[in-house]
Amino acid sequence: MDEQAPRDARFARRRRANAPGGRQHRHEVKVTAEEEGELVRLALAQRVTVPRLLVESALSAGSGETPTERRNAMVELFAMHRLLAAISNNVNQLARVANSDGVVPVETAVTLAKVREVAMRIDGVIDELSPR
């Protein structure tokens, strides 16, 4: 199973959802070329538009996490959950062979290394979600 699973389409909205009655207020922000480049880079990394990035960042200043960052972390956790399910299937098959033959298959070390790798990824995502 591929570790870099495609992001779930349910979580992939770039623009903010429509607001009842629309958005009546508009703010114009002027930035330098360097600032524009950094804003575009950050927006692409979070898979959102620059306006959405600016609004979420400003409104979540107290919480330390934007809704987009939280959504991305959830998508990553779902992907790791699927990966762990596939790995656990492999571990069960290796255990079945070891129990029936009394010989530990060669693939066991690689599979267990993958388990450790996924566990470290989970720890990383949890650390990102933890309050700073």
Side-chain angles (χ1 to χ4, degrees), residues 45-72:
Q46 293 187 29
R47 299 176 188 262
V48 296
T49 61
V50 171
R52 181 175 179 171
L53 172 76
L54 292 173
V55 169
E56 286 183 354
S57 297
L59 295 179
S60 69
S63 69
E65 175 182 69
T66 66
T68 299
E69 290 170 333
R70 185 158 201 67
R71 180 200 70 217
N72 290 343

Side-chain angles (χ1 to χ4, degrees), residues 2 5 13 16 33 42 48 60 65 73-74 87-88 104 119 122 125:
D2 185 17
R13 185 177 176 95
R16 294 188 301 154
L42 290 169
V48 296
S60 69
E65 175 182 69
M74 289 178 63
I87 292 172
S88 68
V104 177
I122 291 171
V125 172

